[in-house]
Amino acid sequence: MLTTRVKESIKTSLAMVIAYGIALYMDWDRAYWAAFAVAFCSLSTIGQSLNKAAMRMFGTFLGMVVAFAFIALFPQQRWSFILALTLWVCVCTYMMGGPRKQYFWHASAFTCAVVAIDAGADPVNAFDIGILRAKETALGILVYSLVTIFLWPIRTGPQVVGAARELAASQRRFLDALLGSLRQGERVDGLEQARAEEINARGGFEPLLAAGETDDVEIREQRRDWRHFQRLTTRSGEILEHASWALSGLAATDVPSLLPGLAGYAEELDARLAEVERMLDGEAPSRQPAAVELALDKAGLVRLSPFQRAAITVARLRLDELDRLTRDLFACIAAIGDFGPAERLTGASSPSQVGFVLDPDRLHASVRMFVTVWMAWLAVIFVPDLPRGTTIVIIAVSMGIALATMPMLKVSALYRPTLYGLIVSGFVYMLVMPKLDGFLQLGAMIFVVTFGLCYVFYSPLQLLGRAMGLMLFVVVAGIDNDQTYSFLSYATTALMLPLLYV
């Protein structure tokens, strides 16, 4: 029996070979664009792959239109053109931090950078470059979608339930660590790790849910309840994060004496989340949520400084809202699992709709992106003979916007897949490809290399590494009908990456 790891590697490799074969047969320039679409849309389930493919297609179209607009508006104004392109990339980076359509904005930013930079130097052919990009992206998406539908299809439904359980468990751990910190008046060990795990679980749930709505009938029928679950957990996570940040304002404050019911509150909320996990495991709840009161000691509050008084008052309001949210979360999962006549308290605990408010974390990611892109642009303009020239800007945009969604990931995590990709692609490019004759041999080589990269970097935590390895293979190989070989080209690419990481 083949393992899931082998099956998924085979599917990506087969789609890569087919996409290359069609692009070369049609004699399209830059056949590697179709390969990029396959590499970046390859995920483990049908729904995930189809949703990501759709987001990439729509994002590609939007990015192409925006790039055409910049070329038309700033044909001779270099600095205005660079500023407009950078601002658009920053807007996409900010929007990627939202709860939905992250990959749409990723594809839009990357496509805009590719078309604007490639076509900006050749505005006469800008439209042809944009259309070629769209055609080859559509080809890669279509090929991988068909392969993943007909070859070992995997449904998303069970993964949605598993991700929901992990999200509830991570919020339970975060809540335990946070309330422990409140009782002790200082941060306890494990609080930051619990916070990172909760953020990661919350960010991974929405794409899985969207995929489940695409390929699973049961998830689609209950999508309103599942979307309600997502909204509740999103709001709960935001409250936990805000409370975590506010701990510094409660330092040297005897919180348990100011909130006498804190111990009972912590016990009740922990029990509720435990029951949520139990229901997501398919078991009926052993208890119903009990009422809990978090009183405030007004006499003790008078003795605090104005800043501490405000901090403890806000903390209590947040904890009260968390009480309502966990009640509604229990009711929501009870409705999904059909466990008794639990009532949904949507009016009491649904997240309030407020106007647009800037998110500091997303804004910080956008500022980082602005600085990164401008450093790359200035290096291209003012550093003579910079390896790969404007290509360094395109890759800086792609890597920067990917890292913006994973702030916990260090750049050093890319060193190993980069080295692996350079060694493999260099060996194939210089020693294997010159010996090949015909597409049959070329296709076998593409399949073997792609399979190896997908198999080695199969873990979800290695997704960015797999993308980097496949990108290096595709870029270095430069597969085309009129194939050329140059050690200088390979060495230039290898030299560009350390500069990019710096």
Side-chain angles (χ1 to χ4, degrees), residues 23-28 479-483:
L24 294 175
Y25 178 79
M26 300 296 292
D27 199 21
W28 288 348
I479 297 172
D480 199 0
N481 282 323
D482 298 321
Q483 188 70 39

Side-chain angles (χ1 to χ4, degrees), residues 178-186 250 252-264 294-297 300 304 312 319:
L178 178 62
L179 294 179
S181 300
L182 287 175
R183 289 195 294 269
Q184 297 181 23
E186 59 182 12
L250 297 174
T253 303
D254 188 5
V255 177
S257 65
L258 295 169
L259 298 173
L262 186 61
L294 199 60
L296 185 62
D297 182 6
L304 299 178
I312 195 67
L319 293 176

Side-chain angles (χ1 to χ4, degrees), residues 111-133:
T111 301
C112 184
V114 170
V115 175
I117 293 173
D118 279 0
D122 187 14
V124 175
N125 297 317
F127 183 77
D128 292 336
I129 293 174
I131 294 301
L132 178 64
R133 174 78 185 183

